[in-house]
Amino acid sequence: MEVRTRFAPSPTGNLHVGSARTALFNWLYARRHQGQFLLRVEDTDAARSKREFLEEILGSLQWLGLTWDGEVTYQSKRLDRYRAEAEKLLNEGTAVRDGQAIVFKVTPGQIIEFDDAVHGEIRFNTLEIKDQVLIKSDGTPTYNFACVIDDADQKITHVIRGDDHISNTPKQLLIYRALKLPIPQFVHIPLILGTDRSRMSKRHGATAIREYRLMGFLPEAVVNFFSLLGWSPGGDREKMTIREITEAFDLKRIGKTGAIFDLKKFSWMNALYMKEAPLPQLKPLVEENLKAKGWWSDELNPAWVGQVIELYKSRAETVEDLCRQTQGLFTKEIPFDSEAVEKRLKQPGVAEILQEYAACLEKLSNWTSDQLEAACRELAEIRSIKAAEVIHPARVAVTGRSVGPSLFHILEVAGRERVIPRLRQAAATLCPA
Ligand code: GLU
């Protein structure tokens, strides 16, 4: 039988990390089995559903590469269908009218059980379940009712969703039974927890996918990191392409307990992807980020921007981090780090060293890292100082920061027209006379 999964967001907010992980697992399972991954919008709550949220959700799914099959379906367009099914139950006497509403009567004392792919057998006694509203008095269906009708109509074979829906499942099973519908395999995946093991919230980091995109996380890294939230390929494999994840994806390897969202690990993983991201992928992202920060100028030479990115990408956790580290190369103003200035520039003798280095550099025939380095070593030798005594202050003078890639590569990329005035400027204004 063809595998059919679905992602069923309610467009009442931006795509949340938990929902994105649910969408990913459904997508992976469908792709793993050459099945279908459907997208169903649960928008019966007209007051809370917003077009902008829907667009954001679809956009974030596309950004992650979680493409869906066929047309998106909307519950709000199927109200007649739900009413018709509810009326069947009315006619059979399993549901009753309560004013405008239609309510399913639950027979107490029955055992409802199902075999969850993650948790194994789960049992409920109907004593714990109240009568279920199917159609509310405003004519809209409840989630539990519409969900069953849709999952059945869409021939969903595997319902993969968060653990928080386990308590809904027996209510849905009662409806499946009453309507004699085939029951899908339920797969309840563990909730996402923060590193303190409490439910993931803003305290642990951004909760919307959009925010991670804006911070400069790469979609490949998001997919990889999210795939490991509650699932593992076995062994100590962590960095995997979406293809490798798809091939290895197996419901048996989904854990029962909470998946820990560790922002540090997420950043570490993103850094791995930054390192190998091709320039054409990074360039527009860096440009967008610099623009958002007001650090972009249209005069910047695109090839030069590429050189800056190549120089820093293996040291950056995210695009945003890369932009922060390189800000001083893009803006006229240098973002001086006060500690770095204190430690490297506000020291006796530094002004002279920087002036002398600037003077050596003015005479360079070729502005290459090799020559920049040779000039530095020569100066150090003449003055009987360590090369580091030139390198550290020069790095702060040019970039404002005490950390970064090799100084000579920075200077080469920064260019004569930035470097020499900056060395002199720092000597004149920041160093003690
Ligand atoms: N709209 C529901 C939610 O976002 C769908 C739950 C389900 O997958 O059945 O939680």
Side-chain angles (χ1 to χ4, degrees), residues 38-303:
L38 307 185
L39 188 60
R40 177 170 87 221
V41 181
E42 304 207 325
D43 57 349
T44 57
D45 185 340
R48 291 177 60 228
S49 297
K50 298 248 148 52
R51 186 151 200 103
E52 72 228 55
F53 291 137
L54 175 63
E55 278 164 14
E56 193 285 327
I57 292 168
L58 301 187
S60 283
L61 291 173
Q62 276 162 334
W63 178 69
L64 292 170
L66 305 182
T67 47
W68 53 89
D69 299 306
E71 299 281 318
V72 178
T73 54
Y74 296 86
Q75 288 191 328
S76 59
K77 294 186 185 159
R78 287 169 46 84
L79 300 184
D80 291 346
R81 173 85 187 111
Y82 308 126
R83 173 164 294 277
E85 288 302 301
E87 276 166 7
K88 263 192 215 163
L89 295 173
L90 264 183
N91 294 339
E92 283 169 11
T94 36
V96 295
R97 265 188 216 285
D98 181 357
Q100 297 289 350
I102 301 177
V103 180
F104 182 81
K105 300 299 283 180
V106 175
T107 316
Q110 285 180 297
I111 299 296
I112 302 284
E113 56 187 17
F114 63 98
D115 194 22
D116 188 277
V118 176
H119 300 270
E121 198 159 290
I122 297 184
R123 285 166 158 253
F124 285 89
N125 190 310
T126 52
L127 279 172
E128 301 161 48
I129 302 172
K130 287 190 246 146
D131 287 347
Q132 295 293 308
V133 176
L134 304 178
I135 304 287
K136 296 183 244 180
S137 45
D138 66 1
T140 61
T142 54
Y143 154 69
N144 277 320
F145 187 54
C147 181
V148 169
I149 307 301
D150 287 346
D151 283 339
D153 282 353
Q154 297 187 300
K155 301 190 168 48
I156 299 302
T157 57
H158 296 73
V159 170
I160 305 175
R161 61 187 173 197
D163 261 3
D164 49 338
H165 284 291
I166 288 184
S167 61
N168 282 321
T169 307
K171 300 172 189 168
Q172 297 183 3
L173 284 166
L174 288 170
I175 298 163
Y176 277 103
R177 269 196 205 169
L179 288 169
K180 299 183 190 61
L181 298 170
I183 294 168
Q185 171 70 58
F186 290 100
V187 185
H188 287 100
I189 59 183
L191 286 187
I192 298 178
L193 308 178
T195 43
D196 59 0
R197 303 204 155 252
S198 68
R199 194 172 174 164
M200 168 80 187
S201 72
K202 291 208 168 60
R203 282 184 299 123
H204 304 106
T207 53
I209 288 300
R210 185 172 182 275
E211 296 174 74
Y212 288 99
R213 179 171 60 74
L214 295 176
M215 280 187 261
F217 280 78
L218 301 177
E220 298 82 357
V222 179
V223 163
N224 193 163
F225 178 71
F226 279 36
S227 74
L228 301 174
L229 291 173
W231 174 80
S232 109
D236 48 16
R237 280 177 91 187
E238 288 198 308
K239 184 163 182 289
M240 297 169 80
T241 64
I242 194 160
R243 251 193 96 130
E244 290 166 336
I245 298 166
T246 307
E247 276 160 21
F249 194 73
D250 180 356
L251 298 181
K252 287 197 194 77
R253 300 202 62 91
I254 295 177
K256 285 192 181 54
T257 49
I260 309 288
F261 187 97
D262 181 349
L263 190 54
K264 274 211 193 100
K265 182 168 175 188
F266 191 10
S267 304
W268 164 81
M269 179 156 285
N270 200 64
L272 301 181
Y273 283 88
M274 287 287 297
K275 231 178 250 180
E276 54 184 51
L279 204 49
Q281 180 182 8
L282 290 180
K283 237 166 147 175
L285 300 177
V286 168
E287 182 174 332
E288 185 191 343
N289 212 284
L290 290 171
K291 279 183 177 156
K293 294 185 160 64
W295 299 342
W296 178 261
S297 143
D298 284 328
E299 286 144 42
L300 295 169
N301 171 335

